Amino acid sequence: MARILVTGGAGYIGSHACKALARAGFTPVAFDNLSTGWEEAVKYGPFFRGDLMDRASVDAAMAEHRPVAVMHFAALSLVGESMKDPGLYWRVNVGGALNLIESCVAHGVGNFVFSSTCATYGDQDGVVLDEDTPQRPINAYGSSKRAIEDILKDFGAAHGLRRVIFRYFNVAGADPEGELGEQHRPETHLIPLMLEAVAGRRPALTVFGDDYPTRDGTCVRDYVHVADLAEAHVLGLRWLLDGREDRVFCLGSGTGFTVREVIDASRAVTNREVPVVQGARRAGDAAALVSGSRRAVEELGWEPRHSTLRQMIGDAWSWAQKPGFRR
Ligand code: UDP
């Protein structure tokens, strides 16, 4: 079976992608340094413990497994942290990706599926963001991801490395079959933090800002189910293996929800109150990020069938009630 090197394969999105790849008949090789990932989440193929900052370990994984393609998830991904320590984001995200991309060229791996982000767009007055919207990142996380998109373009021209770039919106939920879920240390994302507060594992959820130019003053985000995202990656991989052209696809549900609307939906799913305190804005947050994902639907045949708030919160809630991964 064709092997796919999945960087960050022990992490939240990468582990779900490994499951989808295995189900589609590929062998996912999870490459991860376990800085934020979990070895227990590597269930669907071999594990290679390595670090993208260490080119020798990337080369060793390529030589051992001879993948036909790479899916690159491994990255630092916290907007707030990237504002405080931009050097870390440039070093790790861009430096790590460059090692990986150069290793692909050195080992004749010609297909690259890249996890980019809607954070490359910045704050654009609530316009629906699609593949043709200009990228104007307002935080170092978004800048580092845009830089990797540029590197891929240059390597495509120079070395024929082919690419599918996915710009994700807010990924949420957990494996609908309950095998995987979101577990970050520390947790910073809205839905898992909210559910920890519902479960009584933290005192309250702090809502960051209530004076944004949105319908209730809180930020609008477009949430997409992690299982739908994983399926999109399999479709993107097939797109490349079928020899089709380099392409960028936005992945979101196409509908934006405010933080307060997410809290209301949680109440409906869990039948419990969310303890909330109002806080200040978080640096680097755009007021609204909503996708136009028509291209992925029309060209890839993507069907984001799990991406309702009710299912995303419901699957995350089921996962939150399990013991989770342990070290
Ligand atoms: N958010 C919040 N309180 C939290 C965490 C997040 O109000 O404790 C808000 C945040 O300002 C943003 C939205 O929830 O508008 C989603 O944030 P998250 O960190 O989950 O994802 P991001 O949009 O940064 O990728």
Side-chain angles (χ1 to χ4, degrees):
M1 286 197 293
R3 292 182 168 226
I4 312 300
L5 190 74
V6 182
T7 73
Y12 172 45
I13 303 173
S15 62
H16 286 79
C18 286
K19 179 169 179 175
L21 283 169
R23 186 153 41 199
F26 296 95
T27 298
V29 178
F31 180 99
D32 206 294
N33 66 3
L34 299 184
S35 63
T36 57
W38 303 89
E39 197 166 348
E40 290 161 88
V42 181
K43 305 180 183 200
Y44 310 100
F47 176 48
F48 191 103
R49 187 166 184 166
D51 193 322
L52 292 177
M53 298 299 282
D54 170 19
R55 170 71 192 268
S57 74
V58 185
D59 286 339
M62 295 281 188
E64 183 179 333
H65 291 290
R66 307 194 162 280
V68 298
V70 163
M71 281 190 186
H72 178 39
F73 296 94
L76 300 175
S77 61
L78 305 179
V79 167
E81 181 184 63
S82 84
M83 296 298 282
K84 292 192 187 111
D85 193 352
L88 181 68
Y89 275 65
W90 282 90
R91 236 179 2 262
V92 173
N93 287 359
V94 179
L98 188 55
N99 277 337
L100 178 65
I101 291 165
E102 289 190 317
S103 184
C104 283
V105 172
H107 290 85
V109 178
N111 300 300
F112 201 99
V113 180
F114 176 52
S115 302
S116 189
T117 168
C118 62
T120 59
Y121 291 117
D123 212 345
Q124 307 218 14
D125 270 343
V127 297
V128 170
L129 304 166
D130 67 20
E131 295 81 3
D132 299 322
T133 307
Q135 292 170 291
R136 299 191 198 109
I138 57 169
N139 52 60
Y141 168 59
S143 301
S144 71
K145 289 281 186 170
R146 188 186 57 178
I148 299 165
E149 292 193 16
D150 288 344
I151 294 171
L152 284 170
K153 205 177 331 144
D154 291 344
F155 274 67
H159 303 293
L161 179 64
R162 300 169 60 250
R163 64 190 179 275
V164 159
I165 293 172
F166 287 120
R167 295 189 189 135
Y168 310 160
F169 286 68
N170 284 59
V171 187
D175 174 38
E177 287 150 15
E179 294 174 10
L180 299 165
E182 184 168 15
Q183 191 170 336
H184 294 107
R185 299 153 301 174
E187 189 51 74
T188 65
H189 293 108
L190 176 64
I191 291 176
L193 284 175
M194 175 181 74
L195 296 177
E196 284 181 17
V198 170
R201 292 202 294 274
R202 66 175 56 237
L205 171 74
T206 302
V207 174
F208 295 145
D210 61 356
D211 58 350
Y212 287 97
T214 62
R215 45 190 177 265
D216 63 18
T218 64
C219 291
V220 170
R221 293 288 180 275
D222 176 337
Y223 296 86
V224 57
H225 196 294
V226 66
D228 289 336
L229 202 78
E231 280 308 321
H233 283 73
V234 174
L235 295 169
L237 173 66
R238 289 220 165 98
W239 174 278
L240 286 176
L241 297 180
D242 286 348
R244 305 188 67 176
E245 73 270 34
D246 300 321
R247 209 71 174 130
V248 176
F249 297 101
C250 286
L251 297 178
S253 72
T255 307
F257 295 97
T258 68
V259 174
R260 295 225 167 263
E261 288 164 351
V262 173
I263 293 169
D264 290 343
S266 158
R267 238 182 248 120
V269 172
T270 66
N271 284 318
R272 299 204 207 169
E273 275 308 304
V274 184
V276 168
V277 295
Q278 185 58 53
R281 288 184 177 200
R282 181 174 66 177
D285 270 345
L289 293 168
V290 180
S291 73
S293 300
R294 280 218 331 272
R295 183 186 284 180
V297 172
E298 287 169 7
E299 296 186 10
L300 282 181
W302 184 50
E303 293 175 68
R305 57 205 165 92
H306 301 293
S307 294
T308 60
L309 260 193
R310 174 169 276 276
Q311 182 171 355
M312 287 184 279
I313 295 171
D315 288 341
W317 180 233
S318 303
W319 174 254
Q321 288 164 301
K322 295 192 168 191
F325 303 127
R326 287 180 200 284
R327 263 238 153 90

